[in-house]
Amino acid sequence: MTELDQAARQILRGNDLGGYTVPTAGLYPFQWNWDSCLVALGWATFDEARAWAEIDSLLSAQWDDGMVPHIVFHKPSPTYFPGPDVWGTGRTPPTSGITQPPVAATVVRRLLETATDTALAEAKARSMLPKLFAWHRWFHTQRDPHGEGLVGIIHPWETGRDNAADWDAAMAAVPTEGVGEYQRRDLQHVDADQRPKKVDYDRYLYMVKHGREAGWNPDGLHDSAPFCVADIGINALLLRADRDLAALARRFGDGGAAASLESWIVRSEAGLQRLWHDGDGTYRSLDRKTGALVDASGSGAFLMLTADAAPADRRDRLLAMMDRWLAAVPYGVPSLAPADPRFDAKRYWRGPCWLVVNYLIADGCIGAGRSDLAERLRADSRAMVEKSGFWEYFDPTDGAGLGGDNFTWTAAMWLAWAGQ
Ligand code: DGY
């Protein structure tokens, strides 16, 4: 074991609050949905039981309608805003009222297929199947109420790519009336030039207010929300997760779940093609309020490779776009096209690289026959950690660490992938 391996394990242990892992102390003091799932891959490299516990803990906060929330507020903390009182979901344990990218099924399948303790893995994966299926059904019904083969997100936080340029136009249409005064806590932990702006937060909070006033009742929320986007990233990850969940359903003999998943897969494969942007040779998100594709090419599009959902000609153009981006910066993958005038190498999802996204995209590159690109992403990820440490995200122009330090999912990606 190298010193970095030891440090990465220590970060996971240090951020373990007892059955769940916080992304980092202070900045994110609760359990986050897709963080936890990807972090389980890191735990599994030295403690498989703990990896399963991470997902169990997340699923224990599942809503009755199937949604798995984006934050679970297991214990109070004054270091984060907005907390459970602002969300007002009335759940026990308290949770936010929105979801996050559904990577759980993909992770569960991988944990099962790489397990050493196969009896534990079989039992855990089998017990999680109905919960994961209920979450996917929630996505395909509540978030695709008109059966378009694309799910909508009602808050940028649901994508995990909070302030991506993808949302700029849709965000500009969100009002801020009635949000009132509030105190951000993130700026007590991280420089303001690495975080979303105040104008973004005003709108984030307006969307939370809208959901709270609607009682977080999913019926109608998709259509009434002030912001609704069919995000290329979350739709691609859902399709990939549907494929993984269908494989689990077949393995465990649940023919009904497998059949539903197969029908959603067919619908999503067709729906996703409506997001093709021929000019840039990429896929873009779609603003459901205007019916138009958004005006930004971001890294979310590369998740189409992970979903294996692009026809060969489109896949090759997408790979060519990645080649161009990687020629423009020493460290990939930037979260926004380096040539976009809004590219900002330090501001969260408007330029910086994220190891979890690199990991997911690299997996897709291998499937697309571009192991060279997968290896470039792994080498870049490794180099950024070796140079700067286990930061939340990294500057693609020089590999400098940004955001929160001692970050759990960066450490997990080191253990499960980049540091291998
Ligand atoms: C935050 O608070 O920055 C989170 O990304 C919301 O999920």
Side-chain angles (χ1 to χ4, degrees):
M1 249 207 311
T2 67
E3 272 181 32
L4 282 170
D5 295 339
Q6 280 169 352
R9 286 189 184 191
Q10 197 42 45
I11 287 172
L12 265 59
R13 290 196 187 101
N15 288 334
D16 179 2
L17 293 202
Y20 71 97
T21 324
V22 300
T24 186
L27 180 63
Y28 301 123
F30 308 110
Q31 183 174 31
W32 260 260
N33 183 327
W34 76 320
D35 287 73
S36 262
C37 296
L38 293 160
V39 163
L41 296 174
W43 278 115
T45 63
F46 63 104
D47 188 342
E48 288 180 13
R50 182 61 188 75
W52 290 110
E54 188 76 30
I55 312 226
D56 263 337
S57 162
L58 175 68
L59 294 177
S60 73
Q62 184 168 32
W63 286 25
D64 304 336
D65 62 11
M67 185 184 80
V68 180
H70 108 288
I71 306 176
V72 188
F73 301 103
H74 291 282
K75 296 176 199 160
S77 168
T79 65
Y80 180 81
F81 177 86
D85 48 330
V86 180
W87 287 97
T89 59
R91 304 280 315 173
T92 307
T95 72
S96 68
I98 57 174
T99 193
Q100 245 187 346
V103 293
T106 300
V107 167
V108 166
R109 182 179 182 192
R110 183 173 161 156
L111 291 179
L112 174 64
E113 291 180 350
T114 57
T116 308
D117 187 342
T118 49
L120 175 69
E122 288 272 333
K124 286 293 177 187
R126 187 187 288 274
S127 74
M128 289 173 182
L129 173 60
K131 298 175 191 179
L132 294 172
F133 179 73
W135 186 21
H136 287 217
R137 185 180 51 211
W138 173 88
F139 260 116
H140 288 290
T141 51
Q142 297 295 355
R143 292 309 184 80
D144 186 12
H146 310 295
E148 295 171 36
L150 291 168
V151 301
I153 50 117
I154 61 164
H155 197 300
W157 288 343
E158 293 199 305
T159 68
R161 307 191 321 283
D162 302 5
N163 66 338
D166 310 41
W167 330 129
D168 283 2
M171 280 283 277
V174 175
T176 57
E177 281 84 38
V179 165
E181 295 298 312
Y182 59 91
Q183 196 190 352
R184 286 173 66 173
R185 303 283 177 191
D186 56 320
L187 301 182
Q188 292 167 352
H189 310 288
V190 176
D191 284 352
D193 65 358
Q194 298 173 23
R195 291 287 302 172
K197 298 179 177 169
K198 171 166 167 48
V199 62
D200 300 317
Y201 261 79
D202 286 349
R203 293 179 172 130
Y204 295 155
L205 291 170
Y206 184 88
M207 294 177 228
V208 172
K209 178 167 122 34
H210 177 87
R212 189 178 64 235
E213 287 170 0
W216 296 111
N217 179 353
D219 295 331
L221 204 47
H222 173 279
D223 289 351
S224 74
F227 172 99
C228 188
V229 171
D231 166 34
I232 178 63
I234 214 166
N235 276 283
L237 290 173
L238 177 62
L239 173 54
R240 166 62 190 266
D242 278 340
R243 296 192 200 283
D244 291 317
L245 196 54
L248 292 175
R250 286 191 295 269
R251 176 171 178 150
F252 294 122
D254 189 339
S260 296
L261 286 156
E262 290 301 343
S263 73
W264 296 329
I265 288 167
V266 170
R267 208 166 66 176
S268 302
E269 285 174 337
L272 275 159
Q273 298 314 319
R274 297 217 325 277
L275 305 187
W276 178 248
H277 184 273
D278 204 49
D280 266 14
T282 187
Y283 291 87
R284 288 184 172 185
S285 303
L286 178 126
D287 184 343
R288 275 217 161 123
K289 295 284 170 198
T290 64
L293 292 184
V294 305
D295 69 347
S297 291
S299 60
F302 299 129
L303 296 168
M304 281 295 277
L305 302 167
T306 313
D308 189 19
D313 55 332
R314 293 183 171 183
R315 183 198 63 208
D316 290 347
R317 290 193 66 196
L318 194 55
L319 288 162
M321 186 173 88
M322 202 188 315
D323 283 328
R324 287 196 303 278
W325 288 24
L326 292 179
V329 289
Y331 299 92
V333 171
S335 37
L336 179 62
D340 191 306
R342 295 165 292 186
F343 179 82
D344 180 341
K346 296 200 182 309
R347 198 181 291 279
Y348 214 34
W349 290 93
R350 301 179 77 86
C353 308
W354 296 71
L355 257 66
V356 286
V357 174
N358 281 2
Y359 163 77
L360 291 163
I361 295 173
D363 183 69
C365 289
I366 293 170
R370 288 293 307 270
S371 303
D372 61 316
L373 272 181
E375 193 42 46
R376 159 89 196 257
L377 296 187
R378 197 160 75 94
D380 286 5
S381 300
R382 193 166 49 227
M384 290 186 285
V385 170
E386 283 170 349
K387 177 174 183 185
S388 303
F390 294 99
W391 289 87
E392 184 180 5
Y393 43 99
F394 298 88
D395 183 330
T397 65
D398 62 5
L402 301 166
D405 195 2
N406 297 318
F407 215 84
T408 314
W409 73 5
T410 305
M413 288 298 106
W414 174 268
L415 292 168
W417 174 63
Q420 293 282 297

